[in-house]
Amino acid sequence: MPGTLFKNALLITMNPGREIFHGDLLVENDRIAQIVKAGEQIAPKADSPDGELRVIDANGCALLPGFVQTHIHLCQTLFRNQAENLSLLDWLQQKIWPFEAAHNEASMRISARLGIAELLAGGTTTILDMGSVHHYDEVFAEAEARGLRLVGGKCMMDSGDNVPAGLREDTQQSLRESERLQKQWHGAAGGRMRYAYAPRFTLSCSEALLREVAEMAREQGCMVHSHAAETVAEEEILLHHKGRRSVAFFHELGIAGEHCCFAHGVQVHHEEMQMLATDGTSIAHCPGSNMKLASGLAPVIEMRETGVKVGLGADGAPCNNRLDIFKEMQLAGLIQKIRRGPTALTAAEIVAMATIEGARCLGLAEEIGSLEAGKKADVTMLCLDSLPQTPNNAKDIYAQIVYAASAGDVRLTMVEGRVCYENGEIVQLDRAGLAAQAEDEFKKLLQRVEL
């Protein structure tokens, strides 16, 4: 793989010292080979063939580690703008589950492709994704082809009220298909694909399924990805039927630990925060979705103060309606200012949640999440001189990124040394053609859906 030398960049490293400086960054093969400050010299390997080093002048731009989103539903991208003005359970039962049940391989493939294109164009390089019940091979195949780093798995649903027949599974069938996908995709694309068991949430999964998932994930070294404490209604139903709220219920069934990430945590109580921190279980904060579905305002500051790892995610396109990490960063900051005052949750902390902290949530912090020599070359190049960012905030570049920059300011996205997006173009993908394909597949899906 040809090397890449970024010159004259503002390097926002997110390394342990949170160093920020002007300088150069060299990528060789799939890793960051060297980082130097302005005035120092990069020394490419002497045996690198002439002409294989691409030089990019990043003057006026910042280089950041690729953004990490810890909760996404690529299967739902095709349903964007189709599920408005509903709370969570109505949103699922009236719109999302019928749409997901109508997916076939072609519509799932285009839904994933559309979402991945948006993510890469906005600087996101890694996601934790929850699919629908069927056709998850299509999601892995698209991520592999487009260069995205994906931790994900099929949704598991063997219980629950008002679940369409096309989504309700037999317990053993759900486990067998999940294990098949794990064997086929975990570690694929040189480790860029990783499997995550994905029981949807406590109201759609039997205790038997959850206990098996807990055991299988630990044995196979996989993550578990679910929803927890998203709404008051969800918690009240579970408390009535099981005598436990979702975090404690998962904990008792063995779904807890460094390998587990729960989306939302809007309704967590203090004792549940302590449980999450002790177990090492992480939370994916999705402020756009939580506000759109009127689920509430997550106690992010309290969770972080308790020691809970918290990442950021856009959730799915029908409850957001964008997969834009810049929007999520801004909302994350504004919400906590309303809750706890103007100095709450600094911009530096928010950028960390979208990079190195997100990587920690996924157990990938040794490989990604910061710009350090030896780490994977997952890099986002961000223009700093757009009109909404002018004049630059030299005293607090983090604040400029969170509150002034946007996804449209991303100039280049690289994953493992491969440029996946550059200057408005998704590599090897026709954006206009993709939009036409998505519209066509959505029309076909509408003919299959039973609303």
Side-chain angles (χ1 to χ4, degrees), residues 246-274:
S246 55
V247 170
F249 186 62
F250 276 134
H251 174 86
E252 289 181 7
L253 296 176
I255 296 180
E258 299 284 347
H259 65 299
C260 296
C261 183
F262 298 153
H264 305 300
V266 175
Q267 304 299 332
V268 291
H269 293 172
H270 181 68
E271 60 271 21
E272 294 163 345
M273 296 181 202
Q274 293 178 318

Side-chain angles (χ1 to χ4, degrees), residues 359-388:
R360 290 197 179 105
C361 291
L362 305 189
L364 295 175
E366 295 300 313
E367 290 279 40
I368 64 169
S370 61
L371 301 180
E372 299 181 72
K375 281 196 169 184
K376 292 286 189 180
D378 291 10
V379 179
T380 295
M381 188 167 82
L382 181 70
C383 170
L384 296 176
D385 59 8
S386 62
L387 291 180

Side-chain angles (χ1 to χ4, degrees), residues 221-240:
C222 293
M223 289 198 69
V224 180
H225 179 203
S226 190
H227 301 81
E230 186 172 358
T231 66
V232 171
E234 168 197 352
E235 296 296 270
E236 288 179 344
I237 292 169
L238 189 67
L239 191 62
H240 175 73

Side-chain angles (χ1 to χ4, degrees), residues 24 83 93 160 171 202 249-250 271 279 330 351 416:
D24 303 342
Q93 293 171 2
T171 302
T202 55
F249 186 62
F250 276 134
E271 60 271 21
D279 290 341
Q330 183 180 83
V351 175
E416 293 195 349

Side-chain angles (χ1 to χ4, degrees), residues 30-70:
D30 63 343
R31 295 191 179 267
I32 298 171
Q34 298 178 56
I35 304 175
V36 301
K37 295 181 179 179
E40 300 175 0
Q41 293 297 312
I42 285 278
K45 290 181 180 177
D47 58 356
S48 296
D50 290 341
E52 282 202 357
L53 184 66
R54 180 188 177 191
V55 178
I56 297 175
D57 187 355
N59 187 41
C61 295
L63 291 187
L64 296 98
F67 292 112
V68 179
Q69 295 210 42
T70 50

